[in-house]
Amino acid sequence: MAAPLTCRPEFFDATVRAPKPDPLILLPYCPNTRPQEQDRAMKALAQVLNQERVKPTQTIPAICRPGDDFAYWGWLRTAWGMARSRGEDLLVIEHDIQLTLKVYRALIDCPEPWCAGCYQIPSTRWGLNEPMWVHRVNPGPWQDHQVTRGVIKVSFPDEPPVYSARCIKPGEQWADYAGLGCVRIRPDRDWPLPEPVHWSYLDTALSEALRVRWHLHWPALRHGGCLQRGLCRRGAGRWH
């Protein structure tokens, strides 16, 4: 009779500590749009990926040409299916986000399935005077309202009030909506948006379809027009 195998404790320790596979990385960009921002973002991204020794085969450059309003939806749907078939996470980094090593590692090491790096957008797009973070929180439960382009309509018997989703504040950890500028997701279901979605509404549509809580990671990343002004710092001042 064969002697029983011995299982040393360090074998199990090594198994538990085994590194996760690199995520599939989708890099959406629009050619000839804000070239200076794209250049800064690409340099920051290359530095992170080189330091982490991420294989080029794990990255997908996603060209979204001006006028092709549904290309982003198509790329994201394809990458979602690829990541799910491989059992990998999917990391999306848009062309005007300056990724940092700290946020990258936090995203890929986090046990939460739906994570997002925080970044700021001009609040003037929403008629506000204060800086605005792209992640938003509902004022009420999901099942009590319908959402159209980020505006929440709560159903009550008499004259239902209309709420705007509350923007998060620096340091908050959870949100119901997340912009797609920097997200790490774990495709654990079929692609939830079978019909084409316009690029400008894709982030909100995805959050509506998933109805998950996004786990937020700080510090904030530099994004778009705030690269020059340095407005992505914690506690930044007003937009001009």
Side-chain angles (χ1 to χ4, degrees):
M1 182 175 179
L5 296 176
T6 58
C7 297
R8 295 174 297 178
E10 56 267 28
F11 170 80
F12 293 102
D13 293 341
T15 303
V16 172
R17 291 196 301 266
K20 294 193 300 184
D22 291 330
L24 185 66
I25 305 175
L26 183 67
L27 306 173
Y29 71 97
C30 188
N32 303 320
T33 301
R34 300 193 294 273
Q36 291 182 346
E37 296 174 11
Q38 290 187 13
D39 183 61
R40 293 188 185 95
M42 289 300 294
K43 288 180 179 178
L45 176 67
Q47 184 176 7
V48 171
L49 298 187
N50 287 336
Q51 189 164 348
E52 291 295 294
R53 298 184 179 181
V54 176
K55 298 178 181 178
T57 53
Q58 290 297 113
T59 61
I60 305 176
I63 304 176
C64 301
R65 301 188 183 280
D68 191 349
D69 294 335
F70 303 103
Y72 198 172
W73 167 84
W75 281 110
L76 189 56
R77 178 188 60 172
T78 299
W80 179 290
M82 291 176 61
R84 189 181 183 203
S85 65
R86 298 180 185 182
E88 298 172 344
D89 290 347
L90 174 62
L91 179 64
V92 181
I93 305 292
E94 292 182 351
H95 64 179
D96 52 2
I97 296 292
Q98 286 194 25
L99 185 65
T100 65
L101 184 60
K102 181 177 181 179
V103 170
Y104 174 82
R105 287 180 174 171
L107 289 172
I108 64 173
D109 291 339
C110 185
E112 296 293 338
W114 312 94
C115 291
C118 295
Y119 59 94
Q120 204 172 49
I121 62 173
S123 55
T124 52
R125 287 173 50 184
W126 300 83
L128 304 174
N129 293 323
E130 297 296 331
M132 173 179 172
W133 305 94
V134 294
H135 310 84
R136 303 190 296 277
V137 179
N138 293 336
W142 272 110
Q143 64 270 20
D144 289 342
H145 64 258
Q146 295 178 340
V147 182
T148 304
R149 290 191 173 274
V151 177
I152 300 168
K153 299 182 178 180
V154 182
S155 298
F156 289 107
D158 302 321
E159 297 183 359
V162 177
Y163 298 96
S164 293
R166 179 180 67 79
C167 304
I168 66 167
K169 299 177 182 179
E172 289 195 48
Q173 296 298 310
W174 301 96
D176 298 304
Y177 293 84
L180 294 176
C182 179
V183 294
R184 198 271 300 142
I185 56 185
R186 193 159 296 157
D188 58 358
R189 64 198 75 179
D190 291 335
W191 172 243
L193 298 172
E195 298 297 325
V197 178
H198 193 279
W199 66 267
S200 65
Y201 183 52
L202 184 57
D203 54 355
T204 302
L206 185 62
S207 289
E208 292 172 15
L210 292 173
R211 299 198 174 190
V212 298
R213 296 186 73 201
W214 292 91
H215 183 227
L216 309 181
H217 290 264
W218 302 87
L221 298 168
R222 290 179 176 268
H223 163 253
C226 55
L227 297 178
Q228 296 288 345
R229 306 176 190 178
L231 291 179
C232 279
R233 297 188 302 271
R234 185 185 295 266
R238 296 176 181 272
W239 285 85
H240 299 291

